[in-house]
Amino acid sequence: MDLTDFGAGAQYIAGRQSRGSGDAFQVVNPADGSVVEEISLASTGQVDEAVAAARAALPEWAGATPGARSEALTRLAAVLTDAAADLARVETAQTGKPIKLSTEFDVPGTVDNTAFFAGAARNLEGKAAGEYSGDHTSYVRREAIGVVGSISPWNYPLQMAAWKVLPAIAAGNTIVLKPAELTPLTSLMFARACTLAGIPDGVVNVVTGAGRVAGEHLVSHPDVAMVSFTGSTPVGKRVAELATATVKRTHLELGGKAPFVVFDDADLDAAVHGAVAASLINSGQDCTAATRAYVQRPLYDAFVAGVAELYRGIRLGDPLDPRTDLGPLVSFTHRDRVAGFVERARGYATVVTGGAAPAKGHDGTDLTRGAYYLPTLITGAAQDSEVVQGEIFGPVLVVLPFDSDDEGLRLANDTPYGLAASAWTGNVHRSLRATRELAAGCVWVNDHIPIISEMPHGGYKSSGYGKDMSQYSLDEYTQVKHVMFDTTAVARKDWHRTVFGDR
């Protein structure tokens, strides 16, 4: 099976690839506007077909031993490793991200996630069996929830597909995944890799369709027991609203506006380099990217100057060129949205560098056919301004000064979001306070952005709830059942007198 052959269509149901019966759609390379693939989107009927396939596969897969599911995921990791070059190339083609990001982060991270959940599949944790009442033995079972309906975003199509699929199927569930229609290709490759690894047909299904058609139908489907969504907070609210109609379990990983807090004893060089990397990864299209740098006043001017200097040296160009640092944004529509934030900010803040679409790349190539945007640094914005409070999701960093530690932490927490944050200091007491008081699901100290399979990823506040990766994620895809055995063999229990009779 050639994982890169999309000629059969963009739907993968019950182990077979097929064409959608909905509208035609073009997957476009945002680096040059070329068409990567022409596909047809899924109809609601195909969503029904995928859910039915997942439901039919559920008894066998849920009934498999943890060891059997673990072995299947181990084989999947090997299939993905063999396909690594193709996965990286297709990921770059559909998203525009630099090939060095695809090959060094997206693909190996996905393989590592797969290997982790192969091990985690054998570890269904619960309270130790015991006679907690004295007259009974109790224990806890962790069981599959059922069919999971998942919706993944366009910024990390391969990794987000894995984050949705792996814990769900490791726990014995089956899944219908709806990737973003802008970037569905590596999700389809992942599903086909599952088949090559011997995972039974119907366990992993992919429907590529529009959110308001396929997505809403999937979330509302009565045979879907759990919904997992990664995307913007407004859409996440709609997902939660639809899921309540059938009382589904929901898992929401939503927007972010991560603060980057630099105290006056921080290593300035490390903070400057960290801010540039953390704000520009994936062209800033990362919900944990550094977007608001709060710098204590003694370091503020030097920090702004250092970031501006590095920003001006970032190499924009062909994503397939291994020297390219920054690729385009995912589409011209999104590029224009990011530019709109910056243009409005000119009325109340200072654009230190960037703030435009480049004409030429680092090697002189024409970039006007792509959705490129220069790394943009903004200062002088008020805390309540749009550029500080709103999720821009592009290569834009806003820097604000603060005086006291109390003020810095207060400002860092002063948005609706709480997905990620970082604190930069050489003082252990400051770092402990920051990690305690920053209201975010992930807090880094003297770094910003690394993630690992063994640790959970998920937010506070309007950034949603639930965890991806780690054992915590596997647990969320299980149903907890308390089982209790009488140990006395006594027919008439003492507690029966509360209903009838005397002691």
Side-chain angles (χ1 to χ4, degrees), residues 121-343:
R122 292 178 177 265
N123 186 34
L124 297 175
E125 291 188 338
K127 197 165 187 175
E131 289 69 50
Y132 298 102
S133 78
D135 293 335
H136 306 82
T137 295
S138 288
Y139 65 86
V140 170
R141 290 178 56 87
R142 285 195 176 271
E143 299 178 348
I145 295 172
V147 176
V148 177
S150 290
I151 300 176
S152 56
W154 47 257
N155 57 333
Y156 291 101
L158 177 62
Q159 283 215 71
M160 295 297 102
W163 285 17
K164 300 300 183 192
V165 171
L166 293 170
I169 67 172
N173 304 286
T174 56
I175 189 169
V176 178
L177 174 72
K178 192 204 87 65
E181 60 268 33
L182 289 175
T183 56
L185 302 181
T186 47
S187 297
L188 290 163
M189 294 172 71
F190 189 88
R192 297 178 82 180
C194 289
T195 298
L196 284 177
I199 294 172
D201 294 348
V203 172
V204 178
N205 307 274
V206 175
V207 290
T208 303
R212 292 191 178 274
V213 179
E216 293 203 355
H217 192 66
L218 178 62
V219 170
S220 305
H221 202 289
D223 290 335
V224 169
M226 176 180 174
V227 171
S228 177
F229 170 79
T230 296
S232 71
T233 297
V235 178
K237 291 178 179 178
R238 175 62 175 162
V239 168
E241 177 188 353
L242 292 170
T244 59
T246 47
V247 199
K248 301 184 195 303
R249 184 180 298 192
T250 54
H251 173 288
L252 303 175
E253 197 264 271
L254 307 178
K257 190 70 178 175
F260 186 101
V261 183
V262 183
F263 294 97
D264 58 14
D265 65 337
D267 182 324
L268 178 62
D269 187 53
V272 166
H273 282 81
V276 171
S279 61
L280 299 183
I281 187 171
N282 203 32
S283 298
Q285 299 168 128
D286 186 309
C287 48
T288 62
T291 60
R292 300 176 289 137
Y294 296 97
V295 184
Q296 206 150 24
R297 208 169 291 274
L299 297 184
Y300 177 80
D301 289 340
F303 180 88
V304 170
V307 171
E309 180 182 2
L310 288 180
Y311 266 17
R312 295 185 184 108
I314 294 296
R315 298 169 297 187
L316 285 79
D318 179 1
L320 290 175
D321 182 345
R323 297 172 299 167
T324 292
D325 299 320
L326 201 69
L329 298 177
V330 74
S331 68
F332 284 97
T333 299
H334 186 58
R335 195 272 305 274
D336 293 345
R337 177 184 176 276
V338 170
F341 274 93
V342 177
E343 292 309 306

Side-chain angles (χ1 to χ4, degrees), residues 116-117 120-127 140-145 166-168 170-173 226 249 251 456 466-481:
F116 171 80
F117 280 107
R122 292 178 177 265
N123 186 34
L124 297 175
E125 291 188 338
K127 197 165 187 175
V140 170
R141 290 178 56 87
R142 285 195 176 271
E143 299 178 348
I145 295 172
L166 293 170
N173 304 286
M226 176 180 174
R249 184 180 298 192
H251 173 288
K467 300 299 180 184
D468 291 312
M469 301 192 296
S470 80
Q471 183 71 37
Y472 294 96
S473 177
L474 181 71
D475 292 348
E476 290 195 9
Y477 286 89
T478 62
Q479 194 80 267
V480 174
K481 178 186 287 184

Side-chain angles (χ1 to χ4, degrees), residues 64-140:
T65 65
R69 293 195 293 266
S70 173
E71 289 171 2
L73 290 175
T74 299
R75 294 193 299 270
L76 176 59
V79 172
L80 295 172
T81 298
D82 290 344
D86 286 338
L87 287 164
R89 177 178 54 80
V90 175
E91 192 77 333
T92 287
Q94 67 179 351
T95 63
K97 66 179 63 189
I99 192 67
K100 65 180 179 180
L101 181 63
S102 295
T103 53
E104 296 176 26
F105 182 73
D106 296 64
V107 174
T110 300
V111 173
D112 185 70
N113 261 260
T114 307
F116 171 80
F117 280 107
R122 292 178 177 265
N123 186 34
L124 297 175
E125 291 188 338
K127 197 165 187 175
E131 289 69 50
Y132 298 102
S133 78
D135 293 335
H136 306 82
T137 295
S138 288
Y139 65 86
V140 170

